[in-house]
Amino acid sequence: MRTEALLRLAGAVRGSVVSAADAAYDESRRVWNGTIDKHPELIVSCVDTADVVEAIRYARTHDLGVSVRSGGHHVAGSAVIDAGLVIDLGGLREVSVDGGTARVHASGGALIGDVDRATQEHGLAVPLGLVSETGVAGLTLAGGYGWMRRKHGLSCDNVLAAEVVTADGQVLTVSPQEHPDLFWALRGGGWDLGVVTALDYQAHPVGPDVHLAFLTFGVAEAHQVLANLTELVRGAPRGFAPLAVFWTFPEADVFPEELWGQPFLGVAGPYVGAVAEGERVCAALRDLGTVLTDLSGVVPWVEAQQFFDEDYPRGRRYYWKSSHLASLEPEAVTALTALAASRPSPLTSLDVWINGGAIADVPDADSPVGNRSAPYMVGIEANWDDPAQDRANIEWARAASAVLEPFSSPGAYLNFDDLGDPETFRRAHGDSYERLAGVKQAYDPTNLFRSRTGPVG
Ligand SMILES: Cc1cc2nc3c(=O)[nH]c(=O)nc-3n(C[C@H](O)[C@H](O)[C@H](O)COP(=O)(O)OP(=O)(O)OC[C@H]3O[C@@H](n4cnc5c(N)ncnc54)[C@H](O)[C@@H]3O)c2cc1C
């Protein structure tokens, strides 16, 4: 039975309100990660800012905690809150671009693919992540690492302004001039401060075509390949920001059948710059070691942005962590190689992000993103399909994190974390943690927004 208040809410919003009484409830509470099984009290699908204001008013009146869902991609399922109210921004996906100033206005529920499509109409791109179905808001508010990171910084470094609905229902324009404390906080520490209904970004010229590198090598050559690769990247223009991935050849026709099921170390990434320059820089990748396969070529930027899409289907089971490495010394590579060999699932990968460049140019105090100077980040991605394998995969990822600890600097990346340990937030924000806590207290003193809890005990 719906209460009068709930009926009033349903009548007040242009979007929809779903509770456990509705047939749509089970589908509405699902997120991308198939291990997440949370039971919110209500899901309010918003189609405009006024809907968000109504949802917040209802949550305050009924003392419900609030989470925000944009792309629903976070592995911890933090877009959904048990026994609370989910503000679903999936109905707010408009993106507009001012080609003259390269300023992009993205609604709070826009996905990376939405932004890429709109910006490429103008020969532009915003630095975002590597899979096109990820929400730009969740990604940006906690950092945002992508192919443009070494040239143009993290996604959050490219935010110019935001529209935010605060816990008291006010709609604020947030920029360096207006509410500068909240603007500072949103650029990397932005979850649970309010509902970000729009983000304005600075875009940059890219494409329409780019050179995309994707070569694979035997894991036995990992020391040589990674040493050569890191040296190559350090000497190359900042448009070169590849990923080195320990993975397993899938049963896909693009690979020779004799390699199916074999482990590999792949080097992948588009060159952010002219195609000819990309071809020249990436030609050196063939000398990193003995090439097993080379699928490099020229592709549209939008396609490069979808390179990993089909490897991450909705509903698969995922558990991720990450480590910031101070160096890729031989002992660290030996550890990575051993971890790669012990992966319980062939879908699981260890991703080495080579950072530096524009990421490290930003002074630590300018944003709540910690660990900017760490030259490498390893994404520990346990991916599997069989629920019976949950424990084995989760334990592997946790053990991998512990094994990499001696080589790591004391940071964390919230977008690649199970969020189960509250200390993770302190590690992620480093010296900015107390200042961020002050902004939270100022804008959400009753802790209305409380999505930051992990799913796995
Ligand atoms: C397949 C895949 C690929 C990925 N690739 C990358 C990558 O290349 N680089 C990278 O850096 N990260 C990557 N990530 C991690 C990704 O950045 C995070 O999962 C991110 O939080 C997802 O954003 P979302 O909007 O989809 O998240 P959601 O799950 O919807 O939300 C995540 C968190 O952000 C908060 N939030 C979301 N939207 C808003 C909003 N509008 N206002 C206020 N709070 C909000 C939510 O409350 C929640 O706590 C990837 C994740 C996946 C699943």
Side-chain angles (χ1 to χ4, degrees):
M1 279 289 287
R2 293 200 156 193
T3 62
E4 210 174 297
L6 195 49
L7 287 170
R8 253 201 317 275
L9 173 65
V13 296
R14 286 175 57 223
S16 61
V17 178
V18 172
S19 70
D22 296 298
Y25 180 71
D26 275 334
E27 183 50 34
S28 303
R29 68 188 180 85
R30 293 272 168 233
V31 288
W32 166 85
N33 182 353
T35 69
I36 305 299
D37 186 25
K38 293 190 185 173
H39 290 78
E41 172 125 352
L42 282 184
I43 300 148
V44 183
S45 296
C46 300
V47 298
D48 56 24
T49 302
D51 281 1
V52 174
V53 173
E54 289 294 343
I56 287 177
R57 183 176 299 146
Y58 183 94
R60 280 172 65 93
T61 309
H62 295 85
D63 201 19
L64 295 173
V66 172
S67 69
V68 186
R69 173 186 173 139
S70 287
H73 248 204
H74 199 286
V75 276
S78 57
V80 185
I81 181 168
D82 272 324
L85 186 148
V86 179
I87 293 183
D88 185 345
L89 300 182
L92 279 104
R93 288 175 57 181
E94 295 81 2
V95 179
S96 60
V97 181
D98 180 333
T101 59
R103 188 180 179 112
V104 175
H105 182 80
S107 300
L111 307 183
I112 290 176
D114 299 329
V115 176
D116 284 337
R117 268 191 302 279
T119 51
Q120 276 295 280
E121 294 285 312
H122 301 266
L124 299 167
V126 173
L128 296 167
L130 308 188
V131 172
S132 71
E133 288 182 15
T134 305
V136 300
L139 169 100
T140 302
L141 296 175
Y145 287 77
W147 300 125
M148 297 168 76
R149 66 192 183 281
R150 283 176 44 78
K151 190 165 183 177
H152 298 297
L154 303 178
S155 306
C156 65
D157 300 333
N158 291 273
V159 172
L160 300 172
E163 180 184 83
V164 183
V165 186
T166 53
D168 58 5
Q170 285 191 68
V171 181
L172 304 182
T173 298
V174 178
S175 71
Q177 293 76 38
E178 296 170 271
H179 309 286
D181 51 346
L182 187 52
F183 180 74
W184 170 84
L186 290 182
R187 302 201 328 159
W191 300 341
D192 288 344
L193 297 175
V195 182
V196 176
T197 42
L199 286 160
D200 282 13
Y201 293 97
Q202 182 66 54
H204 307 274
V206 177
D209 289 335
V210 289
H211 178 80
L212 173 69
F214 179 41
L215 299 91
T216 60
F217 305 89
V219 175
E221 292 186 3
H223 284 86
Q224 173 194 335
V225 170
L226 287 173
N228 290 343
L229 177 65
T230 51
E231 197 183 313
L232 186 61
V233 173
R234 300 287 163 228
R238 288 179 167 193
F240 187 49
L243 206 62
V245 186
F246 290 89
W247 220 347
T248 299
F249 283 107
E251 294 183 11
D253 289 340
V254 291
F255 300 116
E257 204 172 327
E258 64 271 19
L259 292 177
W260 292 359
Q262 298 297 315
F264 68 82
L265 175 58
V267 176
Y271 182 82
V272 181
V275 169
E277 193 179 44
E279 279 169 343
R280 184 182 58 73
V281 171
C282 294
L285 294 173
R286 294 192 200 104
D287 300 326
L288 296 179
T290 313
V291 176
L292 297 179
T293 62
D294 183 357
L295 298 178
S296 306
V298 178
V299 299
W301 172 254
V302 170
E303 208 174 290
Q305 285 283 92
Q306 297 168 354
F307 181 67
F308 288 119
D309 277 19
E310 67 181 39
D311 298 307
Y312 295 93
R314 184 183 160 85
R316 179 165 279 169
R317 307 180 83 75
Y318 302 94
Y319 181 87
W320 294 359
K321 297 187 88 64
S322 67
S323 291
H324 286 91
L325 297 196
S327 81
L328 268 183
E329 59 199 277
E331 293 79 5
V333 177
T334 301
L336 284 168
T337 309
L339 288 169
S342 68
R343 289 169 300 140
S345 160
L347 303 171
T348 289
S349 68
L350 284 164
D351 307 341
V352 182
W353 296 70
I354 303 171
N355 293 328
I359 303 171
D361 287 347
V362 179
D364 280 346
D366 282 11
S367 86
V369 174
N371 247 28
R372 281 183 178 274
S373 58
Y376 309 101
M377 177 171 67
V378 177
I380 302 164
E381 297 191 358
N383 312 323
W384 70 103
D385 284 321
D386 181 0
Q389 296 300 312
D390 283 6
R391 186 128 305 276
N393 282 281
I394 291 167
E395 280 176 2
W396 174 85
R398 289 177 173 167
S401 172
V403 165
L404 295 178
E405 186 76 38
F407 311 106
S408 303
S409 47
Y413 180 42
L414 296 177
N415 273 330
F416 290 158
D417 200 277
D418 69 308
L419 307 181
D421 176 3
E423 276 304 301
T424 304
F425 294 97
R426 229 172 241 286
R427 289 191 289 115
H429 299 304
D431 292 342
S432 297
Y433 183 83
E434 299 301 338
R435 183 174 168 193
L436 187 58
V439 177
K440 168 76 175 171
Q441 182 61 28
Y443 285 90
D444 184 15
T446 64
N447 197 25
L448 181 74
F449 301 107
R450 51 187 106 124
S451 69
R452 298 167 141 204
T453 46
V456 187

